[in-house]
Amino acid sequence: MSERFFWWTDEQKEILKRVGKFADDHFEEAEYYFWKKKFPWPLVKKVAKEGYFGVGIPKKYGGMELGATGSCIVAEQLGRLYALGHVFVVSMLAGLEQLLKYGTEEQRLQWLPKIARGEQLGAVCITEPFAGSDAANVFTTATKDGDEWIINGKKRYITGAGVSDRYFFYAKTSDDPSIRKEYGHITSFLIEKGTPGFSLERINPLIGFDNVPNGYIDFEDVRIPDENRVGPVGKGWDVMMSGLNFERLIAGAVYVGTIHDILKILFNYTKRRVQFGRTTNRFPGIQNGIAELIAKYRMGRLFSYNCAKQLDDGKEPMVDASIAKMIITEYIRETGEKAIQIMGGDGLTRFYPVERVLREGKTGEIVAGTNEVQKMIIYRFSAMLPAYNESIRLKWNDELNVPLISNKDSQFKGMDLNEENILKVIAHDYKVNPGLYMTPDDVREDIGGSRSTIRKIFESLEEKKLIVTHRDRQGKIALVKGTYDGLKKAFSKEYYQWFPDWYDDVDKF
Ligand SMILES: Cc1cc2nc3c(=O)[nH]c(=O)nc-3n(C[C@H](O)[C@H](O)[C@H](O)COP(=O)(O)OP(=O)(O)OC[C@H]3O[C@@H](n4cnc5c(N)ncnc54)[C@H](O)[C@@H]3O)c2cc1C
């Protein structure tokens, strides 16, 4: 039994016990469908009967109301049954968060109980032939005609295509470039299988996602009523974004339980495999490999549930959700690779459920936003955080005659704000950080005074070729540095010299 974290509610602890047992009891059946290459409908129906599809849905709409944490618990355990985990995840992603945040009460009452009962599976349709990571580049159009919308276009890589009854999709409702610039060109809709003109175009033969149909869908003059629009016209991008943190979290969490299963297989296998007169679990390399996977499993799991707790507390952990998705999908691929290596040739055969973990992991690194896209998000949103923007400055310590990271006032603080002193501040910084520019705020921190006066002095010094500037896209001075002429004008040559104690005077010139 996996660890139940101390911050979970009793209901969340209980659901892990229940769904964990369900996964244990149905492992063999999931393997049966893997070999049969069939979509596991009977298993899906059992999951629906247990009510697991409703784990994250509020009780008033027929769900269990166990939040993101409960959803992660169910994803973690159903993920051990391969296809089941993916079906559960996309069915939740196909409307749950979007309806809760943007749907009308009427729409919630219409759709959420169906999702909770698992009586129809759902698919989420963002990706198109020309819109992958650039998800806003949708070509599928929705045109208003009276009380209806006419849909034309295609979506691809849709998990659950064909077996799903409910499709949550995004279409273009404006071609105005100024609206497009503000991401106001997209609107979101729900459509059900069987609507005239809505058809399945192709099923992809994939490296992973065994037994889960993934394919292309086609809209040809499809008419849907305005009641199927979720959220205001032009707000589809916001609707998409509103569910993304949950989506990324759960897209990673679905793999966590599998790492645990692989660890159990490895412990069992290496206790029974003898080479060079010893069981292979006695080889340090094998132990190290298993230890690394245990660390990954525990770190990935802890991080996921920490992120789930933040969502349940009403926060939007943008960076952490991307980290959770990225690290766990990397971990699961690395687990597959390592487990195969530990098991040798046996790991490569399909008789052990190890090779499919490597394939699943590789797939995981692409779905729900590639890991490169996650890294872009992690970098961009972290770069805005105050914690990473606190100024860290090296300042010269005269007693030690070395630069130290310091918060103390510089020796220029309070001096008159004129060209000579500003040039001295900038030239002194060459002694401290020879290869770096200063920001205008660094200069201001060192000498004080008003930003506008400092900027005017920069412009004058630049004109005299005593400093060089680096300007931002708007043409404003973003960074400054002394030219060699500027350095010469500010201080004598000796000012910049520095030699370690052991350096002989005879070698100086
Ligand atoms: C098994 C599977 C299931 C899926 N299920 C669904 C689903 O249910 N619904 C759905 O809508 N979609 C689904 N997708 C689509 C998935 O979300 C996309 O495949 C994914 O977003 C990447 O888009 P793409 O494949 O077009 O690759 P591209 O966007 O063409 O990317 C190709 C490469 O370029 C890199 N790249 C792209 N842009 C940048 C950038 N700005 N900076 C750095 N690198 C960049 C990518 O990281 C990648 O390495 C699924 C995909 C798979 C494989």
Side-chain angles (χ1 to χ4, degrees), residues 387-403:
Y388 294 118
N389 286 289
E390 283 166 13
S391 159
I392 296 227
R393 304 278 317 279
L394 280 177
K395 292 189 181 152
W396 202 263
N397 182 294
D398 287 329
E399 186 195 336
L400 299 171
N401 196 30
V402 290

Side-chain angles (χ1 to χ4, degrees), residues 252-270:
V254 73
Y255 295 109
V256 172
T258 303
I259 305 183
H260 193 244
D261 283 340
I262 293 298
L263 284 168
K264 286 196 281 186
I265 289 171
L266 291 180
F267 274 112
N268 270 275
Y269 184 92
T270 57

Side-chain angles (χ1 to χ4, degrees), residues 90 123-129 131-134 156-160 206 208-209 214 363 366-373 376 380:
V90 290
V124 60
C125 314
I126 301 172
T127 310
E128 295 191 10
S133 302
D134 184 7
R156 70 167 184 166
Y157 290 134
I158 305 311
T159 302
L206 287 177
F209 271 42
N214 174 284
T363 316
I366 308 249
V367 298
T370 65
N371 283 1
E372 290 75 19
V373 167
M376 262 166 48
R380 286 189 188 162

Side-chain angles (χ1 to χ4, degrees), residues 81-247:
L81 308 177
Y82 310 107
L84 259 289
H86 298 309
V87 167
F88 165 75
V89 166
V90 290
S91 205
M92 300 251 299
L93 298 179
L96 170 57
E97 288 285 306
Q98 299 94 325
L99 285 165
L100 286 176
K101 291 191 178 132
Y102 283 90
T104 60
E105 187 58 13
E106 222 177 353
Q107 287 175 323
R108 288 184 199 136
L109 288 166
Q110 182 189 350
W111 299 98
L112 292 179
K114 287 197 225 180
I115 304 179
R117 287 195 294 273
E119 72 184 31
Q120 53 163 228
L121 295 180
V124 60
C125 314
I126 301 172
T127 310
E128 295 191 10
F130 307 111
S133 302
D134 184 7
N137 193 32
V138 287
F139 274 54
T140 297
T141 54
T143 314
K144 192 83 193 287
D145 183 32
D147 287 342
E148 290 184 327
W149 290 90
I150 306 170
I151 317 294
N152 277 291
K154 291 180 193 296
K155 295 281 171 184
R156 70 167 184 166
Y157 290 134
I158 305 311
T159 302
V163 293
S164 299
D165 285 302
R166 165 178 36 92
Y167 296 77
F168 196 98
F169 72 97
Y170 299 86
K172 188 169 60 155
T173 42
S174 170
D175 275 320
D176 182 332
S178 61
I179 290 178
R180 167 79 175 77
K181 220 171 141 194
E182 304 291 319
Y183 290 88
H185 61 301
I186 303 172
T187 303
S188 47
F189 302 89
L190 270 159
I191 185 170
E192 287 184 284
K193 186 154 88 178
T195 310
F198 179 48
S199 62
L200 187 62
E201 183 175 282
R202 183 196 294 207
I203 292 294
N204 296 310
L206 287 177
I207 178 180
F209 271 42
D210 298 325
N211 311 9
V212 188
N214 174 284
Y216 288 54
I217 50 174
D218 183 73
F219 302 85
E220 195 183 336
D221 292 328
V222 180
R223 286 186 169 267
I224 52 172
D226 192 42
E227 296 92 78
N228 285 28
R229 172 173 51 81
V230 180
V233 175
K235 287 285 173 205
W237 185 253
D238 296 359
V239 176
M240 198 193 294
M241 293 299 120
S242 75
L244 276 192
N245 289 334
F246 178 67
E247 174 178 341

Side-chain angles (χ1 to χ4, degrees), residues 88 142 280 322:
F88 165 75
T280 54
S322 285

